Amino acid sequence: FTPEVQRWGDEIVEWSDQWGLDPNLVATVMQIESCGDPKAVSGVGAMGLFQVMPLHFQGGEDPYKPRINATRGLSHLKNALDARGGDIKLGLAGYNSGITGAKRPESSWPSETLRYVYFGTGIYKDAKDGVVKSARLDEWFVRWGKNLCIQAASR
């Protein structure tokens, strides 16, 4: 993982324990979603470390507070995984495109979801296998993550 995500190591372990999730998977989602930037905002309105859509927050919650963002994002991730029998690929697809969307055949997934699953499964596998230098993480960084990580490093 990039240094911007590694700095969240203690929190990632805590949140993973709280939700019964593999810390490598939690770090993978954070990596792809925000590169560890708690103030990240997407073009479609997703916010914070786990790029949670506004509809997942309760009234008065600050989506940029890491603990709140993690609670909402990891609840969604857990639900996506549970809905697909713990299958990482389908859980990541559900996190990205909605749990219902991940139930459709892969051939009908949006290109963004296919890309998300490609990078997510590869980065997760490398992390789980203890790979020191992940080719998939490097590819993600070059193709999609460089500006996101520069932004995260500057905060």
Side-chain angles (χ1 to χ4, degrees), residues 98-151:
I99 294 169
T100 306
K103 292 180 178 178
R104 293 180 300 186
E106 187 175 339
S107 61
S108 69
W109 291 353
S111 59
E112 177 189 338
T113 301
L114 292 169
R115 192 170 48 245
Y116 190 90
V117 169
Y118 169 78
F119 286 112
T121 55
I123 293 168
Y124 173 66
K125 181 182 183 314
D126 286 349
K128 193 171 177 182
D129 291 347
V131 173
V132 176
K133 184 149 175 62
S134 169
R136 191 70 57 92
L137 177 60
D138 290 346
E139 181 184 359
W140 169 83
F141 183 83
V142 169
R143 291 181 64 195
W144 304 103
K146 184 177 181 181
N147 289 337
L148 189 60
C149 292
I150 289 170
Q151 178 180 301

Side-chain angles (χ1 to χ4, degrees), residues 14-149:
E14 176 187 332
W15 298 332
S16 298
D17 288 345
Q18 179 183 352
W19 289 98
L21 296 167
D22 181 340
N24 291 310
L25 183 59
V26 171
T28 296
V29 171
M30 182 191 289
Q31 182 70 67
I32 295 170
E33 293 290 355
S34 70
C35 194
D37 181 3
K39 300 291 185 189
V41 180
S42 78
V44 297
M47 303 171 280
L49 287 173
F50 293 95
Q51 288 297 278
V52 181
M53 293 299 288
L55 66 98
H56 293 286
F57 296 100
Q58 296 176 3
E61 286 185 326
D62 182 346
Y64 299 106
K65 288 195 174 184
R67 184 168 306 283
I68 292 170
N69 196 274
T71 295
R72 300 297 172 226
L74 297 179
S75 171
H76 181 56
L77 178 60
K78 177 80 167 145
N79 289 338
L81 286 165
D82 288 349
R84 305 308 288 154
D87 183 292
I88 298 297
K89 179 179 179 179
L90 296 176
L92 287 170
Y95 188 83
N96 177 259
S97 68
I99 294 169
T100 306
K103 292 180 178 178
R104 293 180 300 186
E106 187 175 339
S107 61
S108 69
W109 291 353
S111 59
E112 177 189 338
T113 301
L114 292 169
R115 192 170 48 245
Y116 190 90
V117 169
Y118 169 78
F119 286 112
T121 55
I123 293 168
Y124 173 66
K125 181 182 183 314
D126 286 349
K128 193 171 177 182
D129 291 347
V131 173
V132 176
K133 184 149 175 62
S134 169
R136 191 70 57 92
L137 177 60
D138 290 346
E139 181 184 359
W140 169 83
F141 183 83
V142 169
R143 291 181 64 195
W144 304 103
K146 184 177 181 181
N147 289 337
L148 189 60
C149 292

